[in-house]
Amino acid sequence: MENNELFQNLHTQFHESILLEETNHDIFTLVVEASSIKSVIAFLKDHENFIFLTDLCGIHYPDSDLELGVIYHLHNLVENKRVRIKTFVPKATPHLDSIVEIFSGANWMERETFDFYGIIFVGHPKLERILNVEYMNYHPMLKEYPLEDATRSDKDDAFFGR
Amino acid sequence: MIPNSKNKIVLTKRSKVVSNKTMTWIERLYLPAIFQGMAITLSHFFKKEVTIQYPEVQRPVSDIYRGLHVLKRDDQGRERCTACGLCALSCPAEAITMIAAERKEDEMHLYREEKYASLYEINMLRCIFCGNCETACPKEAIFLTERFVPSQTKRDKFIYGKDVLVEPKDAPIDISKRQTPEVLAFKKDKTQSHNK
Amino acid sequence: MKTINSEHHLDLTKKDEKVYSTLNLGPTHPATHGIFQNILTMNGETIVHAEQTIGYIHRAFEKIAERRPYYQITTLTDRLNYCSSPINNIGWHLAVEKLLGVETNKRIDYMRIIVMELARIADHLICNSVIGVDSGALTGFVYVFEQREKIYEIYEELCGARLTTNLGRVGGFERDFSVGAIRKIKELLVDLPKILHQFENLLMRNRIFMDRTIGVGSISSERALNYSFTGPCLRATGIDYDVRVQEPYCSYNDFDFVIPVGQHGDTYDRFCVRQTEIWESIKLITNALDNLPEGKFNVEVPAFYLPNKEDVYSKMEPLIGHFKMVMGEIDVPKKEIYKAVEGANGELGFYVVADGGRSPYRLHFRRPGFIYYQAYPEMITDSSLSDAILTMSSMNVIAGELDA
Amino acid sequence: MNNTSKYNVVEAPEGFTSPGIFATTLDKAIGLARKNSIWPLPFATSCCGIEFMATMAAHYDLGRFGAERLSFSPRQADLLMVMGTIAKKMAPVVQQIYEQMAEPRWVIAVGACASSGGIFDTYSVLQGIDKVVPVDVYVPGCPPRPEQIIDGFIKIQELVGNETLRKRYSPEYKALLESYGIMQSNV
Amino acid sequence: MENTIAQIQTIPLQYYIIFCSALFSIGVAGVLSKRNAIVIFMSVELMLNSANLLLTAFSAYRNDPAGQIFVFFIMVVAAAEVAIGLGLLVVVYRSTKTIDIDVLNRLKW
Amino acid sequence: MFSIYLFIFLSVVALFSALKVLLSKKPIHSVLYMTLTFFTLAGHYILLNAQFLAVVHVIVYAGAIMVLFLFTMMLLNLNLEGEFSKSTLMKIVAVIAGGLLFLVLIASLKSFDVATVGTPELTQIGLVKNLGNILYKDYLLPFELSSILFLSAMVGAVMLGKKD
Amino acid sequence: MDIQFVLYKLALAGIILLVSLVIAMYATLAERKVAGFFQDRLGPNRAGTFGLLQPVADGVKLFMKEEFMPATADKFLYLLGPCLTMLVALLSSAVIPWGKSINIGGVDYSLQVADINIGVLYVFAVVSIGVYGVMIGGWASNNKYALMGAVRAASQMISYELAMSMSIVTIVMTTGSLSLNEIVAQQPGIHWNVWTQPIGFLVFTICVFAECNRAPFDLPECETELIGGYHTEYSSMKLGFYLFSEYINMFIASAMISSLYFGGYNFPFINDLGLSQNVLTLLGTGIFFCKIGVFIFLFMWIRWTLPRFRYDQLMRFGWKTLLPLAIANVILTGFFHLLFKN
């Protein structure tokens, strides 16, 4: 299968950096060590024709060792193949290489991920909050923070079983 | 295979360039296009206006328009709501508040089931009229109607209680157009306990 | 080729300070439609640098989605790109169907195509007419808005709401197309082309308009891909990427339609691409309506599609199922999926991480507007304020989509 | 943690009426003129803005009420129409716009989001613009139909028509503005 | 209208001369005292205008149209001069960021 | 006698605004006072029955030249005069020089016999018909030359305005 | 100079002032109604029947609105701007011949306030100073958008003035007069100048559009770019003056177009009717106002049809298209004049 081929290529290139390959999801999914994420993506773009960054987003698993994750979706437009790359970092040192140099479009997606999860993208040209107010002092998408606005006065949560 | 100006990637065979940027010399003269445009606007000048004079003339809304809610009574004038709470649960805006109460013996003619909502409030400012409550209701009790919620000058006037929501006994609100033909057919079957 | 990022290399030496002035465009500027802020560094009327601020209507969609059952997320998707909410609704339903592994029948597919293409028409109409408004021609806007009003009426027939439709369900539709709805769609298919022709005649070959738009806010296909452009903005640069063709969903491959592409990715290209897409959508709707197969308008999705009301009213099993569904006690496979549809503005993706619970563990919306709007400073540098405004309206960045 | 907002949050007011001040004939004449010449400032951020466009367009035509001249400059506007979600990031802007408007000014909150936050009961959304500016009329709906927007507009017209000229100088009004921390320019 | 004009000539010519010399002197003082190139430019225009008025007055009193023709030509020259002058000023401003003539004391920058 | 009052009024306003041109802090005020001066001068032209010149004066000076000044000022966005002004000494010197010049001119007037100027009489030379006749007959060559001058000035201004 | 003459001129000036104000007032309503009809909607119809009281309502409202003065504005200039605009707008109506003379009691009363023999030049002078109000207002507001609007207004007006005057030169060449009265009188019946000067008419009309800041040349105040342009910071009646003067300008411009190119108060078969002089004069004045109305409608029609130019395109159009066209027209006219008149 072509996914195998892709995996082989990546494996020969990066050896232990590729931690896991998952196929039970809808598209070919790789878990990559945080330190080599940039080079993996660069390799995919330059040698495997994944020229299109579809998406980049964060995720939070509070119960895991590496709490914070970043998920990249790449797209090989010509052969119409997609690949999903996941990488995880600990919450204490949430540092990850920025891929803005490879894909300009990653700029705001990384800023958004920083805003939501506090993941710090090293090498990002302007890593500031993008959607939230600048004086916000927490990262709202982390699971421990509530959704609701504390100032709402016209609702009683008890009625909703939440 | 990174595209550049010479080597454009082509993904399908269906593409077609649609923008023509070269102007003919007639188009360069400005005037023909201007006259054409003026002819179009003038043709509309003499067309009948489509404006609906709203407060005096009402535009017909569709039969299933999602407007102000109604709490239905059954044929004998008893409130259908049984305070199961599904509507409140299904509300994305969390606009519905209800308190359930047990029906007493002498309230048989008022409430249909053993439980009823002693308090049923919808915050119309929060409500987004998505119709989830109507879909969620298993007792044919809450429906949205094609009435509008009027605007108010004070915020607390938007908490609609049972006094507004429950349909008046003498003037029931017809919601049969919102129901599927199957439901309407089912409603005719008076042997079913639901329809008694 | 311009440098990677224009955000951070402006060298404001002391000598230049007096020449440049800053202009705050937005967030209440009429042409930014209320929500974007651009701090422009101007040299006279030429923009040398632009800095964007967004997030003025950030509403925390993704956080809400983690707390709401799957079926309630439909109301959220309505408010993403509110000009074409049915596409978002159906896209979300398609994503959940993919998660559950549900196949729909042709009738549902065709109904969905009709609804989605109507939404695409509505969205493109508003975008192109707003280009007209921003260039000063208000009248065309009012003409096409009459047609949009007709599309609203169709939605109202279909689901009972005009704009934020909450249309459809996982596994199909809540109700079949009514006779009135089909009649109204047919009326629209007669009326819309006339008005569309008039609208095109008002603007498309008018030299004033062409001068205003040709070469304005252009971007190369290379840069556009690097910025992850999708939709009409990418197609205007000449790349025929369309999710409807690349990864067909909803039986789009039953139909043959043209993918319009532009040449230089400028405002005129975007205008023409959108305009042609409206014509293609009209053809698609006509085809789908003519070939609408018989069949049920929903498929059985045990976990999501609510049982029929008459069964709920009378039978125990469906009632329990109904309760479980509304309360969200449902079985969802533990899976990660990514589903994309061709939204009005480009690839609208839903990345769902399901852990089996009542709400998604993580739901990320790939919002095309958010992604391609970041190229805006690069597109307007060295152009005038008027160009910047036309570029903005031709990119059709919808605030709800931008800020989530 | 939640209390991250910098702006001044005030409890929602109960609307503002002018007790004890009766409109004179002059007031009525001027009120009549004013109510037929309300120039709105559309502060449209999201969905409701699209419905406002529909209200302005041919089918509903807000221009019938003499309101088709939109004033995008707050100085020239009489009516601030806030349509759509106002995030906390946007709240100071709304207040600033309100401050820039010349008296007499009215505010209408169109739609669930502007009036109360709607379904967006989240950390980033202002739960109703009446926390930053005084609101005269609320229009429910998400988004409201154009009919409802016109209803709200007619309600504003009623307010305008019956308002006394002295209202803007009344201590109640000044107290109301003060509770929002809004400075009255030169009344 | 003609008889109103007839009255005009009751104004003695000296008045014009005095007025114009005052205007001219103000212009001279302006040129000397100001540093802003634009204001200096305006002072020069003031001087030109006082000359113009005097020419017209003489021409009217002597019934000789040559004076007014001369004024006409002066206006043409003044317009040309202002167009060039202001163009120069803008260029100077662009390269030096100032229009203070005391700073512009070099021929090269 | 009506006209003498008019003359005095116009002259006083003209001198006042001419002084204000120099004394104004903001250059933009200078420009506007200058415009006022020009209007009063136009009034003077009308007093002298030079209608054509008056209108041309307004068109050229008020309508074009001063607008150009104003335009340049706005283009360069100059609002502050305070940042540079000549030293007080220089100002005094300037005023003295101006005053002296005025005195000299007045003094020269004294020795000048006004009677030689000619008798004031009803004049029609300022009307457009007469002026046109003379301009296009006797002064055709200067007229054409001035148009060439104008053209070259225009070209020059355009060349200057071009960025590099 | 008898007192009767003065009184009559004052009365005439007063009437014309009043008429132009009323016409401008109702032009605002007409604009909104016409825009409505062009856009398939109704336009104002709530204030009085057919919305006839709408301008009154607007006026009263503007008068009663808070007088606002930006803190950073230059107070005096801020007030001067709108006043100047209004003043200048009203000035130029003085030389327009509204009709032939009316004979009352054996005395001919001309329907022209001042028959200056250089009327055309007078209009130019007034138009050329019209830009001051806009510039001063935009400058004094101390707002960047207002300043940009002012700068745009200035450069636009100066540029288009040139082509406008060049287009009128041909009229002066053919009629041999600078007096508007004379020009109108030379177009009896249907011998209108537009037949001999179509290019001049076109150029003049376009330039007049630009001078009035009307679409497609409404850059100084275009809403989608500059919010309100030079009047962004204005409220109450000061804003009213700005808006109002636009309509007065439009009225005067229409009057100019009709008297320069469409025979003013002349109409075909004027002499075949066999009516008395006074009736003819009144009829002529009526016809004149009808012509003005047609041109005001044209102004609105264009505005609600066309997109606007971009700043640099507008400049290029003025300098590279209109000006050469006007000059070519002058040369052509001179050529034909020499060829056929001699």
Side-chain angles (χ1 to χ4, degrees), chain B residues 161-179:
Chain B
K162 275 175 79 175
D163 49 334
V164 191
L165 292 172
V166 181
E167 63 176 352
K169 266 185 192 164
D170 44 348
I173 290 155
D174 181 31
I175 43 84
S176 59
K177 282 177 184 164
R178 315 178 72 85
Q179 292 173 314

Side-chain angles (χ1 to χ4, degrees), chain A residues 88-139:
Chain A
F88 294 93
V89 287
K91 201 180 171 191
T93 52
H95 297 284
L96 205 57
D97 279 338
S98 165
I99 59 161
V100 176
E101 283 170 34
I102 308 170
F103 291 109
S104 307
N107 188 331
W108 280 11
M109 302 191 222
E110 286 182 356
R111 273 178 75 181
E112 187 193 46
T113 311
F114 164 74
D115 190 353
F116 282 169
Y117 291 97
I119 296 168
I120 293 162
F121 291 91
V122 180
H124 189 282
K126 187 187 172 187
L127 199 64
E128 287 170 16
R129 284 190 184 274
I130 183 164
L131 293 177
N132 286 305
V133 280
E134 270 174 25
Y135 47 82
M136 197 174 204
N137 52 7
Y138 65 103
H139 296 283

Side-chain angles (χ1 to χ4, degrees), chain G residues 21-225:
Chain G
L21 283 179
V22 167
I23 286 190
M25 225 165 108
Y26 277 91
T28 61
L29 175 66
E31 168 108 281
R32 292 161 87 164
K33 283 303 236 188
V34 164
F37 289 141
F38 275 134
Q39 297 173 350
D40 298 345
R41 52 191 184 85
L42 285 169
N45 66 355
R46 299 279 148 155
T49 358
F50 204 64
L52 281 178
L53 293 178
Q54 186 64 44
V56 183
D58 280 333
V60 172
K61 184 210 70 178
L62 282 173
F63 262 116
M64 296 308 294
K65 202 137 169 78
E66 180 193 1
E67 287 291 325
F68 184 86
M69 182 90 78
T72 48
D74 190 322
K75 302 279 184 296
F76 174 67
L77 295 184
Y78 184 78
L79 290 174
L80 185 67
C83 300
L84 211 57
T85 312
M86 194 71 175
L87 180 77
V88 169
L90 287 169
L91 267 180
S92 43
S93 59
V95 291
I96 290 172
W98 302 102
K100 285 179 177 168
S101 51
I102 284 186
N103 193 306
I104 300 173
V107 185
D108 268 354
Y109 289 99
S110 157
L111 288 187
Q112 186 182 16
V113 177
D115 182 14
I116 310 177
N117 58 7
I118 43 169
V120 176
L121 281 183
Y122 169 82
V123 173
F124 272 126
V126 172
V127 166
S128 67
I129 53 175
V131 69
Y132 278 101
V134 170
M135 285 184 89
I136 290 174
W139 169 270
S141 302
N142 200 9
N143 174 314
K144 271 179 191 138
Y145 288 108
L147 184 66
M148 274 172 99
V151 169
R152 282 179 176 193
S155 45
Q156 173 180 330
M157 284 182 163
I158 297 181
S159 313
Y160 278 75
E161 231 166 67
L162 220 58
M164 185 162 90
S165 25
M166 289 311 264
S167 65
I168 291 200
V169 163
T170 55
I171 293 279
V172 177
M173 280 163 78
T174 47
T175 54
S177 170
L178 281 168
S179 154
L180 272 171
N181 201 13
E182 178 70 26
I183 291 174
V184 173
Q186 285 195 20
Q187 310 175 55
I190 194 95
H191 298 289
W192 297 343
N193 280 336
V194 68
W195 312 128
T196 53
Q197 288 296 332
I199 300 175
F201 162 68
L202 196 67
V203 174
F204 184 75
T205 313
I206 293 171
C207 293
V208 153
F209 272 75
E211 290 290 316
C212 293
N213 289 335
R214 292 285 299 186
F217 305 99
D218 56 344
L219 287 142
E221 48 183 324
C222 60
E223 269 183 358
T224 47
E225 287 166 32

Side-chain angles (χ1 to χ4, degrees), chain C residues 15-28:
Chain C
K15 190 183 165 188
D16 291 341
E17 262 170 19
K18 260 193 167 175
V19 178
Y20 295 138
S21 61
T22 44
L23 189 71
N24 192 354
L25 189 73
T28 51

Side-chain angles (χ1 to χ4, degrees), chain C residues 254-385:
Chain C
D254 290 5
F255 301 97
D256 189 34
F257 55 93
V258 168
I259 303 178
V261 294
Q263 302 162 33
H264 310 106
D266 58 18
T267 301
Y268 191 69
D269 279 328
R270 286 189 281 272
F271 181 85
C272 290
V273 165
R274 287 214 171 82
Q275 209 62 28
T276 317
E277 277 186 26
I278 296 174
W279 289 111
E280 292 300 317
S281 293
I282 292 174
K283 276 187 221 154
L284 268 172
I285 296 171
T286 319
N287 271 335
L289 203 60
D290 290 345
N291 300 320
L292 194 62
E294 291 300 314
K296 270 174 75 74
F297 55 88
N298 65 309
V299 289
E300 289 303 321
V301 189
F304 277 102
Y305 196 89
L306 291 168
N308 291 338
K309 274 283 159 84
E310 65 273 14
D311 297 336
V312 174
Y313 295 154
S314 56
K315 293 176 190 138
M316 207 56 205
E317 280 289 308
L319 182 63
I320 292 170
H322 182 90
F323 259 83
K324 277 177 89 171
M325 276 177 227
V326 174
M327 292 166 82
E329 293 165 8
I330 39 174
D331 299 319
V332 180
K334 290 186 182 177
K335 220 174 157 187
E336 291 176 23
I337 60 117
Y338 175 83
K339 178 73 185 172
V341 292
E342 180 68 24
N345 281 344
E347 180 174 338
L348 175 73
F350 298 88
Y351 171 56
V352 191
V353 180
D355 63 345
R358 64 195 289 271
S359 13
Y361 185 79
R362 169 88 169 102
L363 171 59
H364 178 73
F365 303 100
R366 184 204 190 270
R367 291 126 35 210
F370 172 74
I371 291 167
Y372 65 63
Y373 180 54
Q374 46 186 321
Y376 182 62
E378 191 175 309
M379 289 161 82
I380 61 166
T381 306
D382 293 333
S383 63
S384 72
L385 179 65

Side-chain angles (χ1 to χ4, degrees), chain C residues 9-17 20-22 41 48-49:
Chain C
H9 68 267
L10 181 74
D11 185 25
L12 283 174
T13 54
K14 207 153 178 63
K15 190 183 165 188
D16 291 341
E17 262 170 19
Y20 295 138
S21 61
T22 44
T41 311
V48 286
H49 178 69

Side-chain angles (χ1 to χ4, degrees), chain D residues 2-25:
Chain D
N2 274 314
N3 205 4
T4 49
S5 49
K6 265 187 191 164
Y7 54 86
N8 191 12
V9 174
V10 186
E11 275 309 302
E14 300 303 323
F16 181 73
T17 47
S18 43
I21 303 176
F22 298 101
T24 60
T25 323

